[in-house]
Amino acid sequence: MNTALSWIKAYVPELTCTDQEYMDAMTLSGTKVEGYARLDKNLEKIVVGQIKKIEKHPDADKLIVCQVDIGGEEIQIVTGAPNVKEGDKVPVVLDGGKVAGGHDGGPLPEDGISIKAGKLRGVPSNGMMCSIEELGSDRNFYPEAPEMGIYIFEDDVQVGADAVEELGLRDTVFEYEVTSNRVDCYSVIGIAREAAATFRKPFVLPEVTAEGNDEKAEDYISVEVHDTELCPRYCARVCKNIKIGPSPKWMQRRLAASGIRPINNLVDITNYVMEEYGQPMHAYDLDTIAGRKIIVRRAKDGDVFRTLDGQDRNLDSDVLMICDAEKEVGIAGIMGGENSMITDSVTTVLFEAATFNGANIRKSAKRVGLRTDASGKFEKGLDPYNAEAAINRACQLIEEFGCGEVVGGIVDVHGEMKEKVVLPFEPERYNSLLGTDVSEQEMLNIFKMIEVEYNAAKGTLTVPTFRQDILRQCDIAEEVARFYGYDKIPTTLPNGEATTGKLPFKLRIEQKARDIAEYCGFSQGMCYSFESPKVFDKLLLPADDPARQAITIANPLGEDFSIMRTIPLHGMLTSLATNYNRRNKDVRLYELGNIYLPKALPLTELPEERMQFTLGMYGDCDFFDMKGVVEEFFESIGMHKKAVYDPKAGRNYLHPGRQADIYYEDAPVGYLGEVHPEVCDNYDMKTRAYVAVLDIPAILPHATFDRKYEGIAKYPAVLRDISMVVPKTVMAGQIEAVIAQRGGKILEDYQLFDIYEGSQIKEGFKSMAYSITFRAKDRTLEEADVTGAMKKILNGLEGMGIELRS
């Protein structure tokens, strides 16, 4: 949004500052200024001159010699301008002055063009008369300027006056970056209110007193709103005996500085009010409104409507239309129709100021392919209370300019208007949030400047409806910070857990997973959460496997990315296969990523997102290498108890004899194994690959970073080795469970150090040997202690069909 500083000063008359000071202060208080441009840049020594006498140039047919009064002095100027005559008052650049550019209206030179006295075809010329282009502007903003030639002032301009001032160019245009939640700042009044609060100056709103004549607007027009959700408020007023003509120069200059081309008094008034109040308006020729009735309703699917720009727009039932008793006359909040446009023959005008649903206007503008200044404001969600003030302001300007007669009254159709936000006044809380020590009175002064009302009896703050961004206490605290000054807020440490400098527990577990994986030679990868339904077939999942119940993407990029993954192996196997086919020999990869498990299909609520720690490798490795990495991770996060590995996992994508589900304290926490050879073929890998998947949410309840110090053992350990003939059906984990259970408090450790199958062992059996360590913390063990513990262990093993080797 652009505004001229002079327009801001109309509402903050005591504002005095340099352009840079204004830019810095406004940006610091939250109204970010992107930059500014001086309209009088490179315009020096330019005055109003009056041509007293014109003679032909003696040596040039297209040149004339003018004697020009510049205020108590006459100078001679030679020019080729075809449009000047004696008595005209024109802008004159004196000797040593500057203009912004050339008469051709091309790009303006950075340093302007210097003007010096000289001779033209032998005749002295002591200055230059200027066109509007040479003054850095054009006919879009000065429509009264001639297409080719010198700019001519009106007769009431004083000779010798500052021509730049008379043209309204002693001004600065500021460009603002307004955030979408500050709808009030999409208006000059909103920016001025911010400037008044920033510089602690009085803010003066224009007085609006447009009461109209003794007639009633209801006698001229009636309004029906069929969809109050899309149109919360519709205000209409009528002006008759309209006289189309140019708007006043001051209005033209303000509109031009905002980038709006002046057209005529009626159009300029609606544009002016839109910029001033931030409330778009529209004017209809009342004589074209059938039945003198306005109906606000949705369009019909397949309707075609021609807008003011002469383009046909395709409509549907989601587009809100302004209609009369017979036809559509405008697309609500976007553009009026060609069938109700204002022409020079208009006599009675219907003014419209309404509030429309912002989201609907944004979607409608995109749907019909037309975005306007009005739709850009409406889509932010305007204040319904602003509509009446804006339409009354427009009618006031009609009366002031003498271009029409305002009919009394207003047709105002609206539902229940939203109530003002009321918040408790809690100064201690604001200071606590900000780390400041702002006094209660200083806060109240700030609230008064931004029109937040304080009720001392109730201890509450009432927020004006135009401040739609203030909804809760933190928003109020922000207002205190903005106008107290961000630069005055001292540096403080935040309160709470954040000052301990720790990651949340879950993130610490994930970081430990990365550390262990990288310590074991794995590299991190990241895989897509979007997958193809074909993944399930590649992984040999049965048709009734729960993992096939995946969430379908509403707008997928294609079938290969059409569902959310429910199993993390596809991305890992794809990465391993890519490395294998590029001849990388030994590859170890890991990923920390979510899977997405729907609670019901179709979705009725958000799915469960579970973080999976996935490991994959091939090359110089085997099943037990992967098992060792898993146990290293468990050990690092405080899971010191032995995990249990169940070989009856039954996962189709893993080798049937080399897979296991992992249990910790009887709870499943993951699985590992060799990838099924057929699955490897599906991924074009001609090698053995191994994977492990650990479910982080299942691991978190068992993990801990609490460490208890234990001193170095003071008493000696006793070692016992046992060698056993074990049935092949008995797993090492079962043996270790018996040892751990029956070893008692003096059992310190046990290790499998030998396993053998061969001709020396009877069929159906294997040889296994364990080293068992016993130690007491408070004494030296005696032989009876160790013998008793070993006897309990051996009795338990014999019950499993295990025999001791002699």
Side-chain angles (χ1 to χ4, degrees):
M1 178 172 174
N2 295 347
T3 65
L5 186 58
S6 62
W7 200 350
I8 300 296
K9 288 181 177 179
Y11 313 119
V12 193
E14 296 182 17
L15 179 62
T16 55
C17 59
T18 66
D19 295 339
Q20 190 63 45
E21 288 171 347
Y22 179 85
M23 176 178 176
D24 293 343
M26 291 292 283
T27 299
L28 193 59
S29 68
T31 307
K32 185 179 179 184
V33 180
E34 286 286 289
Y36 62 87
R38 291 285 310 178
L39 297 182
D40 59 356
K41 181 181 179 182
N42 295 324
L43 301 182
E44 299 177 7
K45 297 182 70 175
I46 305 176
V47 300
V48 177
Q50 185 173 29
I51 301 174
K52 292 297 186 179
K53 185 178 181 181
I54 297 178
E55 297 176 335
K56 288 186 177 181
H57 193 288
D59 295 322
D61 293 338
K62 294 185 178 180
L63 297 179
I64 56 175
V65 181
C66 302
Q67 304 302 320
V68 182
D69 180 6
I70 58 172
E73 178 187 356
E74 282 193 10
I75 61 172
Q76 180 172 285
I77 297 176
V78 178
T79 181
N83 67 311
V84 294
K85 62 184 185 299
E86 291 181 358
D88 284 345
K89 294 179 180 179
V90 297
V92 176
V93 190
L94 304 179
D95 180 25
K98 272 187 177 183
V99 291
H103 66 278
D104 59 355
L108 301 180
E110 182 64 27
D111 297 325
I113 299 173
S114 298
I115 304 299
K116 295 183 179 179
K119 292 184 178 183
L120 284 178
R121 302 291 293 270
V123 176
S125 182
N126 297 313
M128 184 181 82
M129 294 182 280
C130 304
S131 67
I132 201 65
E133 289 77 13
E134 288 164 329
L135 295 172
S137 191
D138 57 48
R139 294 183 68 247
N140 285 328
F141 301 142
Y142 291 84
E144 74 277 10
E147 186 173 354
M148 294 290 293
I150 305 301
Y151 182 84
I152 309 296
F153 285 109
E154 294 183 355
D155 291 339
D156 58 353
V157 177
Q158 184 177 354
V159 175
D162 183 349
V164 178
E165 180 73 33
E166 294 293 336
L167 286 166
L169 294 175
R170 294 286 183 212
D171 207 349
T172 307
V173 175
F174 289 87
E175 179 184 356
Y176 304 88
E177 180 185 331
V178 182
T179 55
S180 57
N181 67 323
R182 288 303 306 272
V183 184
D184 56 305
C185 286
Y186 283 91
S187 67
V188 179
I189 286 177
I191 296 290
R193 188 182 283 112
E194 289 287 302
T198 299
F199 290 94
R200 302 292 201 274
K201 301 295 183 182
F203 173 66
V204 182
L205 268 175
E207 289 189 19
V208 180
T209 56
E211 298 179 358
N213 60 22
D214 294 334
E215 297 177 280
K216 294 182 179 180
E218 294 92 336
D219 297 335
Y220 284 79
I221 192 72
S222 63
V223 177
E224 294 179 9
V225 178
H226 290 179
D227 196 326
T228 54
E229 182 181 349
L230 297 186
C231 179
R233 188 176 194 182
Y234 190 101
C235 297
R237 294 200 70 173
V238 176
C239 299
K240 63 180 186 178
N241 302 326
I242 294 296
K243 301 172 185 176
I244 299 294
S247 56
K249 289 290 189 295
W250 63 265
M251 177 175 282
Q252 293 186 29
R253 302 298 178 254
R254 288 181 180 179
L255 290 174
S258 298
I260 299 175
R261 179 174 175 267
I263 297 175
N264 60 48
N265 49 11
L266 200 57
V267 175
D268 290 354
I269 285 172
T270 58
N271 285 335
Y272 184 85
V273 172
M274 179 176 70
E275 291 300 302
E276 185 180 40
Y277 278 79
Q279 170 67 53
M281 292 184 56
H282 191 67
Y284 299 98
D285 184 342
L286 188 59
D287 293 332
T288 66
I289 303 299
R292 296 293 178 99
K293 175 183 284 189
I294 289 291
I295 302 173
V296 184
R297 61 167 175 80
R298 292 174 181 260
K300 298 175 183 176
D301 290 331
D303 281 357
V304 178
F305 180 70
R306 176 162 292 188
T307 47
L308 278 170
D309 57 1
Q311 300 294 315
D312 289 334
R313 310 289 174 177
N314 296 318
L315 311 175
D316 60 35
S317 58
D318 289 327
V319 179
L320 191 67
M321 300 298 293
I322 309 299
C323 311
D324 61 19
E326 300 175 356
K327 61 187 181 299
E328 296 96 344
V329 295
I331 305 178
I334 300 176
M335 184 176 281
E338 192 177 63
N339 55 10
S340 61
M341 66 186 296
I342 298 292
T343 63
D344 290 343
S345 60
V346 65
T347 59
T348 308
V349 166
L350 170 66
F351 276 131
E352 164 196 286
T355 306
F356 302 112
N357 180 281
N360 177 262
I361 295 300
R362 178 180 60 81
K363 293 176 182 178
S364 296
K366 186 175 181 181
R367 191 174 288 110
V368 302
L370 178 62
R371 195 170 188 274
T372 60
D373 289 340
S375 69
K377 286 182 166 59
F378 275 122
E379 67 188 23
K380 305 295 189 300
L382 300 184
D383 175 18
Y385 290 91
N386 198 36
E388 183 178 359
I391 201 169
N392 288 339
R393 173 63 164 163
C395 291
Q396 177 192 34
L397 293 173
I398 289 285
E399 290 181 337
E400 285 184 4
F401 297 170
C403 57
E405 181 183 353
V406 178
V407 174
I410 181 174
V411 178
D412 187 1
V413 178
H414 60 81
E416 184 177 348
M417 302 285 279
K418 69 175 185 179
E419 296 182 357
K420 295 181 179 181
V421 174
V422 179
L423 299 170
F425 178 49
E426 300 176 348
E428 295 84 2
R429 184 176 180 183
Y430 309 147
N431 279 322
S432 176
L433 280 170
L434 300 173
T436 55
D437 189 22
V438 183
S439 69
E440 181 176 320
Q441 188 56 50
E442 173 68 6
M443 291 184 188
L444 293 177
N445 292 339
I446 291 172
F447 298 150
K448 184 178 180 180
M449 290 187 299
I450 60 175
E451 300 181 31
V452 173
E453 298 175 4
Y454 173 58
N455 187 318
K458 297 181 178 179
T460 58
L461 301 172
T462 302
V463 181
T465 56
F466 60 78
R467 287 303 302 272
Q468 300 183 37
D469 60 309
I470 301 179
L471 301 173
R472 51 190 67 87
Q473 293 293 63
C474 59
D475 299 324
I476 287 289
E478 181 186 13
E479 297 303 300
V480 173
R482 289 200 305 127
F483 295 112
Y484 172 70
Y486 290 121
D487 55 326
K488 297 179 183 177
I489 297 177
T491 301
T492 56
L493 286 174
N495 294 322
E497 252 186 68
T499 57
T500 62
K502 289 183 180 179
L503 288 172
F505 183 72
K506 176 178 179 291
L507 296 185
R508 292 175 68 194
I509 297 296
E510 292 174 14
Q511 185 58 53
K512 184 60 71 173
R514 294 186 187 93
D515 293 343
I516 294 300
E518 290 167 12
Y519 169 77
C520 294
F522 288 75
S523 299
Q524 185 172 14
M526 296 185 69
C527 304
Y528 292 116
S529 295
F530 296 170
E531 292 183 341
S532 167
K534 298 175 183 177
V535 167
F536 304 131
D537 295 330
K538 293 180 72 172
L539 294 174
L540 308 181
L541 290 183
D544 59 347
D545 195 295
R548 287 183 178 267
Q549 303 301 309
I551 302 164
T552 302
I553 307 299
N555 55 342
L557 298 174
E559 186 183 6
D560 289 344
F561 302 97
S562 61
I563 62 170
M564 302 292 287
R565 67 177 178 177
T566 57
I567 187 169
L569 289 181
H570 171 69
M572 178 58 69
L573 293 176
T574 300
S575 298
L576 291 175
T578 301
N579 279 275
Y580 176 80
N581 289 306
R582 293 183 181 175
R583 302 183 184 278
N584 292 330
K585 292 183 179 180
D586 295 301
V587 174
R588 297 187 176 203
L589 300 174
Y590 79 93
E591 181 199 12
L592 279 163
N594 285 333
I595 59 172
Y596 304 87
L597 305 178
K599 298 173 184 176
L601 287 176
L603 284 179
T604 56
E605 56 182 315
L606 291 176
E608 181 183 9
E609 299 184 25
R610 298 187 73 86
M611 177 65 68
Q612 307 287 287
F613 178 28
T614 308
L615 299 153
M617 61 184 183
Y618 69 80
D620 185 15
C621 56
D622 60 17
F623 177 93
F624 295 102
D625 289 323
M626 183 65 81
K627 181 170 176 282
V629 176
V630 171
E631 292 182 343
E632 184 77 19
F633 171 59
F634 287 166
E635 179 69 22
S636 71
I637 60 174
M639 295 170 62
H640 300 304
K641 296 181 181 178
K642 290 284 186 179
V644 176
Y645 298 86
D646 180 5
K648 299 177 182 179
R651 299 180 184 273
N652 289 18
Y653 41 82
L654 298 180
H655 191 292
R658 301 179 189 132
Q659 61 171 284
D661 281 343
I662 307 171
Y663 289 85
Y664 190 85
E665 294 184 343
D666 298 327
V669 294
Y671 58 88
L672 80 161
E674 180 183 327
V675 180
H676 196 290
E678 188 176 339
V679 174
C680 283
D681 287 341
N682 290 341
Y683 283 89
D684 198 20
M685 278 195 297
K686 310 300 181 184
T687 187
R688 290 184 174 184
Y690 302 89
V691 295
V693 177
L694 300 177
D695 187 38
I696 296 298
I699 286 172
L700 291 177
H702 308 290
T704 177
F705 288 106
D706 292 338
R707 298 288 187 267
K708 182 180 289 186
Y709 170 76
E710 291 187 3
I712 298 173
K714 297 180 181 179
Y715 302 98
V718 178
L719 275 66
R720 292 286 189 270
D721 292 343
I722 55 173
S723 182
M724 302 167 286
V725 177
V726 181
K728 287 186 177 180
T729 56
V730 176
M731 310 297 294
Q734 294 173 272
I735 296 174
E736 292 172 0
V738 172
I739 296 174
Q741 180 184 2
R742 292 175 171 260
K745 293 183 179 180
I746 63 173
L747 178 67
E748 183 177 78
D749 192 21
Y750 52 86
Q751 294 290 336
L752 174 68
F753 67 86
D754 183 61
I755 184 167
Y756 172 76
E757 295 182 33
S759 58
Q760 299 179 10
I761 305 299
K762 60 183 179 181
E763 188 176 350
F765 285 78
K766 58 188 174 184
S767 173
M768 300 179 70
Y770 275 88
S771 177
I772 304 175
T773 303
F774 296 97
R775 190 195 306 267
K777 296 180 180 180
D778 56 349
R779 60 190 174 88
T780 300
L781 290 176
E782 298 179 359
E783 180 65 25
D785 298 322
V786 177
T787 301
M790 285 297 299
K791 186 175 181 179
K792 290 180 181 179
I793 292 172
L794 295 175
N795 289 339
L797 295 176
E798 287 177 2
M800 300 169 64
I802 296 173
E803 302 174 4
L804 285 179
R805 292 185 65 183
S806 57

